[in-house]
Amino acid sequence: MADYEHVRVAVIGSGFGGLGAAVRLRREGITDFVVLERADSVGGTWRDNSYPGCACDVPSHLYSFSFAPNPLWPRTFSGQRHIRAYLEHVADTFGLRPHLRFGSEVKKAAWNTERLCWDIETSSGNLSADVVVSATGPLSDPKIPDIPGLDGFPGKVFHSARWDHDYDLAGKRVAMIGTGASAIQIVPAIQPEVARLTLFQRTPPWVMPRVDRAISGLERSVHRAVPVTTRLRRGLLWGIRELQVQAFTKRPDELGFVEQIAKRNMARSIKDPALRARLTPDYRIGCKRILLSSTYYPALAQDNVDVVAGGLSEIRGATLVAADGTEAEADAIIFGTGFHVTDMPIAERVVGADGRTLAETWKDGMAALRGATAAGFPNWMTIIGPNTGLGNSSMILMIESQLNYMADYLRQLHVLGGRAALDARQSAVDSWNRTVQERMKRTVWNTGGCTSWYLDAHGRNTTVWPGTTTEFRRATRRVDLAEYEVVRQPRPAAAPAAAAPRPAEVDA
């Protein structure tokens, strides 16, 4: 691929992780980079998820970059439209547009051992890069379960992350599959307009009240005039969540009080004892992500809503059959069934130094050194990698820590000089992962008695970080070269010495 464009760094994805990486690269003085994006605009999951009611469950001032505060957030919890606009603003403010390559889905990235670079094939052409920063995110590829009979359903079918805005739900019989973060926002938004809404619930979620309000004009004016107040607000929100982490990671038994608040939230709206029993979880709060809504339960209490306590198991024509045998007719099916989180699709397209894909390397479970690098994949770094997720705070905090690690990684490469790469030692990856999994044993995500999307096919939690954001920031402040092998270009083989003449050929 010597004839193709070569860049210092290729970033994959333009959500929070990708744009954050791009800003950090520029602040580090690196301008020779591209951001490869398969869609036609920035935004990542906040571009793809545009379903009715879509909003964030982390406070606005915490769910934004520390280096790009927004004093003008309109609500304490922002909706999808405002978050997407914020990301577009970041792209403009930090001069990222010239680096963005839209319509450039990465088809394959293979490590070139001879040239010490990544050869990248995209839907818009090929290029090579010294370093690849993968910021595709865990919420990028929707997961639709393999339901017998789905192909024969005569109505409309779509996933919450691929919402069909041209399809009118008014007066339709709609089946909502799933009760996760997307579903509890969609249900209240569409319930008033549909004729009938049937919610197929495999596992009931814990739902806390959503204490959302408009941020007053006075507050916004103060934040804009006195920037330190924005930082103070962010710091307060962060500090509260740091203090809460201990209950999730070390003392899950302390979460009983929080469960009582969630039960009271339900009881205010759900008066039918049978329905309340169906909606009450049998696992510890926090084992699955705690959801926030003050409108979900009121919507479920309406006359045109049915809650089926069993996942969808089969479809016969327009009839949907639940695991408990309950049947319902539907004109449209909306899947709120999550994403490929523990089996990232990008991993199938990444080929390392030994010819194996990242997916093959991770077949027994994802594992990366400090959530970023994998053995056998030199100069490859993941933003929002294995065990960097959070159960109760803002992912932006974790992303910024990983950007610190990325910046130091690139500094170390610069110090090494010449053509060089860093490859995580398998022993370092294993040691880091053992420590993470040991800490995971006592967390609510492992002991709470549920099966969540945090767990992979082997039942291991390869998604969440079992500690505070402060601990993770400390762990990713610097790259420890002892955890890496330095890879240099192979030296060209010496020219073979001229063969000595055989005795018969020597002149007498």
Side-chain angles (χ1 to χ4, degrees):
M1 289 181 63
D3 296 335
Y4 298 128
E5 176 189 13
H6 180 81
V7 294
R8 177 83 174 114
V9 183
V11 179
I12 308 175
S14 68
F16 268 101
L19 294 183
V23 172
R24 189 58 185 267
L25 288 171
R26 292 205 56 154
R27 295 176 80 181
E28 291 291 318
I30 298 172
T31 56
D32 182 18
F33 70 91
V34 295
V35 179
L36 304 172
E37 171 55 60
R38 65 184 177 186
D40 58 2
S41 61
V42 303
T45 193
W46 295 106
R47 174 199 60 236
D48 296 342
N49 287 269
S50 59
Y51 58 79
C54 183
C56 190
D57 59 3
V58 175
S60 306
H61 285 84
L62 195 58
Y63 199 78
S64 44
F65 291 121
S66 63
F67 54 78
N70 177 16
L72 302 179
W73 287 116
R75 300 195 67 83
T76 52
F77 289 88
S78 291
Q80 175 262 347
R81 182 168 61 89
H82 290 107
I83 297 173
R84 185 178 180 187
Y86 170 78
L87 289 170
E88 293 280 4
H89 175 71
V90 167
D92 290 329
T93 302
F94 292 92
L96 305 182
R97 297 286 175 191
H99 301 278
L100 295 169
R101 302 280 177 87
F102 295 123
S104 299
E105 180 174 10
V106 172
K107 302 292 189 182
K108 183 181 179 182
W111 177 249
N112 187 319
T113 304
E114 291 183 7
R115 295 180 54 229
L116 288 196
C117 67
W118 286 93
D119 293 337
I120 307 168
E121 300 173 16
T122 83
S123 53
S124 66
N126 300 336
L127 72 154
S128 60
D130 294 334
V131 178
V132 173
V133 177
S134 178
T136 55
L139 307 182
S140 56
D141 290 86
K143 181 185 285 187
I144 292 183
D146 186 15
I147 306 292
L150 180 60
D151 291 346
F153 180 70
K156 187 71 179 176
V157 179
F158 52 87
H159 190 279
S160 59
R162 301 290 183 267
W163 195 271
D164 189 337
H165 291 276
D166 294 327
Y167 183 76
D168 187 5
L169 292 172
K172 301 289 198 311
R173 299 168 300 176
V174 179
M176 180 78 227
I177 316 301
T179 53
S182 300
I184 72 153
Q185 294 180 343
I186 292 168
V187 166
I190 69 173
Q191 175 270 321
E193 61 176 303
V194 303
R196 183 129 221 104
L197 178 59
T198 305
L199 178 67
F200 285 80
Q201 170 192 272
R202 193 172 55 178
T203 311
W206 283 107
V207 183
M208 296 283 283
R210 184 183 181 87
V211 190
D212 185 26
R213 64 171 179 84
I215 296 176
S216 70
L218 176 61
E219 287 174 274
R220 295 200 297 272
S221 296
V222 170
H223 288 330
R224 185 161 49 182
V226 189
V228 69
T229 61
T230 309
R231 291 198 296 275
L232 286 171
R233 185 173 191 153
R234 176 187 173 89
L236 180 62
L237 292 166
W238 165 78
I240 291 169
R241 279 153 183 78
E242 284 292 89
L243 292 173
Q244 294 171 343
V245 170
Q246 300 273 18
F248 291 85
T249 59
K250 295 180 181 178
R251 295 187 287 273
D253 290 345
E254 294 180 358
L255 291 165
F257 171 71
V258 186
E259 286 179 7
Q260 293 307 313
I261 298 174
K263 286 179 178 178
R264 282 199 293 273
N265 183 41
M266 184 195 307
R268 272 193 292 270
S269 303
I270 307 297
K271 305 303 181 186
D272 176 7
L275 179 56
R276 199 183 305 168
R278 238 175 297 162
L279 296 174
T280 302
D282 61 359
Y283 55 88
R284 179 104 280 179
I285 195 167
C287 183
K288 288 174 176 280
R289 189 174 180 94
I290 299 174
L291 307 182
L292 303 181
S293 178
S294 299
T295 55
Y296 178 63
Y297 289 133
L300 296 185
Q302 301 306 307
D303 292 338
N304 67 334
V305 179
D306 292 315
V307 178
V308 177
L312 179 61
S313 64
E314 185 185 356
I315 299 174
R316 302 175 193 146
T319 303
L320 279 61
V321 184
D324 65 357
T326 305
E327 296 185 0
E329 301 289 311
D331 303 306
I333 301 174
I334 302 170
F335 283 98
T337 44
F339 301 84
H340 289 274
V341 176
T342 59
D343 54 342
M344 288 191 245
I346 189 69
E348 309 231 351
R349 308 173 195 179
V350 181
V351 182
D354 62 359
R356 291 194 306 163
T357 66
L358 189 55
E360 289 171 317
T361 300
W362 283 348
K363 69 180 186 299
D364 295 325
M366 299 191 301
L369 176 58
R370 302 183 188 273
T373 53
F377 297 82
N379 286 7
W380 175 278
M381 180 167 291
T382 302
I383 304 293
I384 316 182
N387 291 114
T388 61
L390 292 175
N392 78 313
S393 192
S394 173
M395 272 308 302
I396 314 307
L397 299 167
M398 299 296 278
I399 288 171
E400 290 194 23
S401 291
Q402 292 180 291
L403 298 182
N404 290 340
Y405 196 71
M406 176 197 77
D408 198 53
Y409 191 98
L410 291 164
R411 285 187 216 115
Q412 299 287 357
L413 283 175
H414 180 71
V415 169
L416 288 170
R419 301 293 299 168
L422 291 174
D423 187 7
R425 295 179 185 275
Q426 187 64 57
S427 57
V429 175
D430 292 343
S431 175
W432 172 262
N433 198 50
R434 274 195 305 273
T435 301
V436 169
Q437 292 304 324
E438 187 61 33
R439 291 187 63 179
M440 196 71 72
K441 288 179 180 178
R442 61 182 176 180
T443 68
V444 68
W445 307 302
N446 278 36
T447 65
C450 74
T451 301
S452 72
W453 57 267
Y454 299 148
L455 308 182
D456 64 16
H458 308 284
R460 285 174 59 230
N461 191 329
T462 57
T463 308
V464 183
W465 168 245
T468 64
T469 60
T470 303
E471 288 174 297
F472 188 76
R473 177 150 297 197
R474 197 179 302 125
T476 52
R477 195 183 304 277
R478 294 277 183 271
V479 169
D480 180 358
L481 282 182
E483 297 180 328
Y484 288 87
E485 291 181 22
V486 178
V487 183
R488 296 281 187 184
Q489 277 183 297
R491 293 179 179 175
R502 289 178 300 206
E505 296 170 344
V506 177
D507 291 335

